[in-house]
Amino acid sequence: MADIKYDIIEEIGILSENARGWRKELNLISWNGAAAKYDLRDWAPDHEKMGKGITLNKEEAGALAKLLVQREL
């Protein structure tokens, strides 16, 4: 598997943290030099390891926010 390069442009927030210190974070990340996207995934404390996650462009993130507001979570 090729190396994946990422640059965390902005750390937006932490949703949760487990006992091992891994945190579920929402960040703005540039993957392999591409335009930054919203990214939700688990990260090791040093940001050197990551779990599976999802990336959303601005429009998708806005649509998700509207859906969550409609559900009145």
Side-chain angles (χ1 to χ4, degrees):
M1 180 179 208
D3 286 337
I4 298 173
K5 298 182 190 307
Y6 61 92
D7 183 23
I8 300 174
I9 306 299
E10 181 181 353
E11 295 181 17
I12 297 171
I14 299 167
L15 280 72
S16 62
E17 184 173 339
N18 69 21
R20 297 179 304 159
W22 281 61
R23 300 181 303 192
K24 189 173 305 295
E25 300 181 13
L26 178 63
N27 297 311
L28 195 58
I29 298 182
S30 171
W31 294 98
N32 296 319
K37 293 186 176 184
Y38 293 94
D39 183 87
L40 181 62
R41 72 181 63 242
D42 290 328
W43 287 92
D46 57 6
H47 284 136
E48 292 295 321
K49 294 182 182 178
M50 67 187 87
K52 292 182 180 179
I54 62 166
T55 59
L56 303 167
N57 63 31
K58 184 178 179 180
E59 292 77 21
E60 292 167 333
L64 176 59
K66 286 180 185 178
L67 290 171
L68 292 172
V69 168
Q70 289 173 356
R71 297 271 311 174
E72 298 179 11
L73 296 179

